[in-house]
Amino acid sequence: MVGGQSGKDAFITEGFDNWILHKQMKLEQSNYEIRLRVTIRSCRFLLKNALPFRGYDETEKEDKEKIFNVTLENAPKNEKLTSPTIQKDIVNCFSKEIIKSICDEIGKDVFGILVDESSDVSKKEQIAIVLRYIDRVGIVNERFIGVVHVLDTSSLTLKVAIDTVFSNNNLTIDQVRGQGYDEASNISGAFNGLKSLILNENSYAHYIHCFAHQLQLVVVGVAKKHDDVEEFFEQLGLVVNVVCGSCKRKDMIR
């Protein structure tokens, strides 16, 4: 008597309808949103203050009962919002929103580009990209918009990386009015350097040697010619290496 025992064909014509289950699902969704907001707020605080995401102090400091009841030890055991993977995803979202706001501020106006190449601790080649522009109230801004991993440091590879960053942020080479690099041949080369590849597409993208790098070269050159200065920096380097090799030595020098 399948059809006669129930006044409602819940599983056949109208689908499953259980208000208790729906209520439980809404509660879980609400609790998850609370945990997500707390995680985002914590990530924002750590990023703003340049603090590590992991440390020796994992004490429970949340004093709002509504939040405390669904977070930390009270959260589901399979919750992953505190995992490094999720935290990196949240940080990546912050990064995209910040870069978007910078590029929206530039809009269709012109800007200069500053690029330098460097390898990280894992020995991956990468380039750092900075945009220099004047905002709507006439203030000059320099905004770091990211580090891009590259397979090599040839001028063509660097050009492709910059084109990709521009394309992803609605910017174009035609907007560039200045280039600032060091004197590495793959970047400042007159024929096949990065500056030349950009100038071939936009003749208004004037190249200027990075003044900070020029100043560094001058200081290093002068220091090496002065015996007392050279000896000072040599001894300073030894002290830094010795102190930085031990946490106890760091505490002692403090």
Side-chain angles (χ1 to χ4, degrees), residues 121-137:
V121 294
S122 63
K123 302 303 180 183
K124 288 183 178 180
E125 290 289 353
Q126 56 190 13
I127 57 172
I129 302 176
V130 174
L131 301 183
R132 182 180 174 90
Y133 63 94
I134 300 176
D135 62 18
R136 293 179 178 84
V137 295

Side-chain angles (χ1 to χ4, degrees), residues 234-254:
E234 182 179 355
Q235 295 299 323
L236 180 62
L238 293 174
V239 172
V240 170
N241 290 335
V242 171
V243 172
C244 291
S246 168
C247 295
K248 293 180 180 178
R249 297 191 197 111
K250 287 183 181 179
D251 290 337
M252 290 172 63
I253 200 168
R254 288 192 187 104

Side-chain angles (χ1 to χ4, degrees), residues 18-35:
N18 189 321
W19 69 272
I20 298 178
L21 181 59
H22 281 294
K23 184 177 181 180
Q24 184 68 23
M25 291 176 63
K26 289 183 178 179
L27 178 62
E28 288 299 322
Q29 181 179 353
S30 176
N31 291 342
Y32 180 82
E33 291 175 354
I34 292 174
R35 292 191 292 272

Side-chain angles (χ1 to χ4, degrees), residues 1-18:
M1 299 281 301
V2 176
Q5 290 181 348
S6 174
K8 185 176 182 182
D9 294 330
F11 292 98
I12 301 174
T13 60
E14 299 181 13
F16 180 68
D17 184 14
N18 189 321

